[in-house]
Amino acid sequence: MDHFLSLLLFSLLTLSVAAETAGEDPLIRQVVGGGVLSDHDHFTLFKTKYGKSYASQDEHDYRFKVFRANLRRARRHQELDPSAFHGVTEFSDLTPSEFRRNFLGLRSKLRLPKDANQAPILPTDSLPEDFDWRDRGAVTGVKNQGSCGSCWSFSATGALEGAHFLATGDLVSLSEQQLVDCDHECDPDEPGSCDSGCNGGLMNSAFEYTLKAGGLMREEDYPYTGKDRGACKFDKPKIAASVANFSVVSLDEDQIAANLVQNGPLAVAINAVFMQTYIGGVSCPYICSKRLDHGVLLVGYGAAGYAPVRMKDKPYWIIKNSWGETWGESGYYKICRGRNVCGVDSMVSTVAAVHTGSH
Ligand SMILES: *[C@@H]1O[C@H](CO)[C@@H](O)[C@H](O)[C@H]1NC(C)=O
């Protein structure tokens, strides 16, 4: 215990600077610069923080090996992405492929569903400098997809929750499990491209399903289990929100911003490789693949994010993720605007909800 306490104190001291700027519990924000803590110390803190225990000594040793590789990767990410903090996250004992398989879930599909529109070009001359749908009541709390490749369903519900709020004035949390269990939308020319629960899917196909099915139920009426292959328990009379139409937004960042401001939060895809080690700040890696593997929700943007001394402030997108509130900045990710970093501009959709009720 003594050892652990001194370790704790040690880490509090060494991490306080980074934690101060990131504004959070230093134990959550274990950044890996400095090199004062040994890899073993980092692993001990990690296991305590996330309540990790391993079935056998072999498993423990293997996970420590993976963890050390991830520490090296986090340090590399920190060098490639100096305006963000990278370090230990709850995913630090997973290999990149385990991480991709269990916590992402975006499938690639060549063709758009038949009901997808092209979003009309909007005026962009009077866009606000900063904008955040969270301040306007259009965003539900951060959810957690758990160990299930269902990111696409959270991105889709997030967009429809926002659109439904704009159409009706009511913010209603919608059911991802309905999409996981019931949506098996396919591209007829692409067998194997179907939305398939924890094995991945696509937001545009989820909108197509929702349009055809009539709508989505409330989260509380069809709660999330994060488990695959459950029977579909869709109950049509309990539909809480319906899709009027959905559209694909062009790759232009001003058009993306204009659609966000006019239509509500947008479903976007991204390459998530830097997210496995992300702790906070504005992520703006010098190099990042544009291979899209994760579905998230764009909820706002800012003109100037925090950046370390002598680096220029960066304009950024505000992204709602589905890995719970302990990940990133209370569940959110900031990524810089300006050059389609990690592919964030390349698959953007907007959805409109059917007006219902008394509003
Ligand atoms: C989508 O639906 C909304 C709301 O009903 C409507 O205002 C808009 O014109 C529609 N857009 C398209 C592209 O059909």
Side-chain angles (χ1 to χ4, degrees):
M1 200 59 207
D2 255 14
H3 176 64
F4 183 69
L5 282 179
S6 58
L7 194 64
L8 207 71
L9 194 63
F10 211 34
S11 68
L12 286 174
L13 289 172
T14 53
L15 297 171
S16 59
V17 176
E20 217 156 48
T21 44
E24 275 230 33
D25 172 3
L27 280 184
I28 297 176
R29 309 220 159 233
Q30 269 192 69
V31 291
V32 292
V36 183
L37 295 184
S38 70
D39 289 1
H40 187 268
D41 296 339
H42 275 298
F43 193 50
T44 304
L45 286 168
F46 165 79
K47 285 183 293 181
T48 308
K49 164 87 187 81
Y50 296 107
K52 300 270 183 175
S53 60
Y54 302 107
S56 65
Q57 188 63 37
D58 279 357
E59 175 71 5
H60 179 276
D61 296 348
Y62 174 67
R63 289 299 152 191
F64 182 45
K65 212 176 97 194
V66 172
F67 182 86
R68 295 184 74 174
N70 280 326
L71 281 180
R72 286 193 295 277
R73 209 152 65 95
R75 291 185 184 113
R76 218 158 47 236
H77 283 180
Q78 188 64 69
E79 279 169 18
L80 280 171
D81 186 14
S83 55
F85 297 106
H86 289 274
V88 175
T89 69
E90 66 182 289
F91 306 117
S92 291
D93 61 350
L94 301 175
T95 66
S97 74
E98 286 171 327
F99 173 68
R100 262 197 312 279
R101 197 164 56 244
N102 295 311
F103 296 93
L104 304 180
L106 190 84
R107 291 202 163 204
S108 56
K109 248 178 244 188
L110 300 177
R111 299 196 326 165
L112 286 169
K114 73 172 174 42
D115 291 309
N117 303 304
Q118 278 306 323
I121 300 299
L122 299 177
T124 56
D125 40 10
S126 56
L127 287 173
E129 220 178 286
D130 295 285
F131 190 85
D132 191 341
W133 276 115
R134 290 175 296 180
D135 301 337
R136 294 156 194 259
V139 186
T140 59
V142 171
K143 305 183 190 185
N144 196 338
Q145 70 187 78
S147 183
C148 165
S150 56
C151 66
W152 58 279
S153 68
F154 288 84
S155 173
T157 55
L160 188 55
E161 285 163 359
H164 182 73
F165 171 79
L166 263 72
T168 67
D170 293 325
L171 183 65
V172 177
S173 183
L174 299 173
S175 173
E176 293 77 28
Q177 196 64 37
Q178 181 185 340
L179 292 170
V180 168
D181 291 342
C182 313
D183 167 12
H184 304 297
E185 255 321 290
C186 296
D187 178 341
D189 295 335
E190 275 292 303
S193 71
C194 314
D195 286 342
S196 37
C198 292
N199 294 312
L202 204 56
M203 291 78 86
N204 286 322
S205 328
F207 296 141
E208 180 78 16
Y209 157 81
T210 306
L211 188 68
K212 287 182 188 156
L216 292 183
M217 290 164 61
R218 288 172 176 269
E219 190 83 68
E220 63 207 55
D221 288 336
Y222 200 153
Y224 188 67
T225 64
K227 293 209 172 61
D228 228 350
R229 284 179 272 278
C232 175
K233 295 182 269 299
F234 175 46
D235 186 6
K236 209 161 182 177
K238 288 199 177 154
I239 286 176
S242 301
V243 170
N245 58 58
F246 62 102
S247 311
V248 174
V249 179
S250 77
L251 206 134
D252 180 276
E253 293 211 342
D254 288 338
Q255 283 303 312
I256 294 172
N259 274 275
L260 173 78
V261 170
Q262 179 169 312
N263 302 334
L266 304 175
V268 305
I270 196 170
N271 181 282
V273 67
F274 280 84
M275 297 173 81
Q276 189 177 358
T277 58
Y278 174 79
I279 287 180
V282 177
S283 189
C284 200
Y286 300 129
I287 315 161
C288 180
S289 162
K290 292 180 172 42
R291 197 180 56 79
L292 305 175
D293 55 15
H294 192 38
V296 288
L297 188 71
L298 179 60
V299 302
Y301 59 84
Y306 164 82
V309 195
R310 278 180 278 120
M311 286 191 57
K312 275 195 12 214
D313 275 1
K314 292 187 192 307
Y316 56 88
W317 298 119
I318 304 165
I319 300 237
K320 184 189 185 190
N321 196 9
S322 48
W323 299 341
E325 280 184 359
T326 55
W327 178 85
E329 294 198 345
S330 305
Y332 282 80
Y333 184 52
K334 289 202 205 108
I335 187 162
C336 64
R337 290 173 66 181
R339 50 182 177 89
N340 192 18
V341 170
C342 303
V344 65
D345 301 334
S346 27
M347 190 197 281
V348 179
S349 334
T350 178
V351 65
V354 172
H355 289 252
T356 49
S358 51
H359 292 268

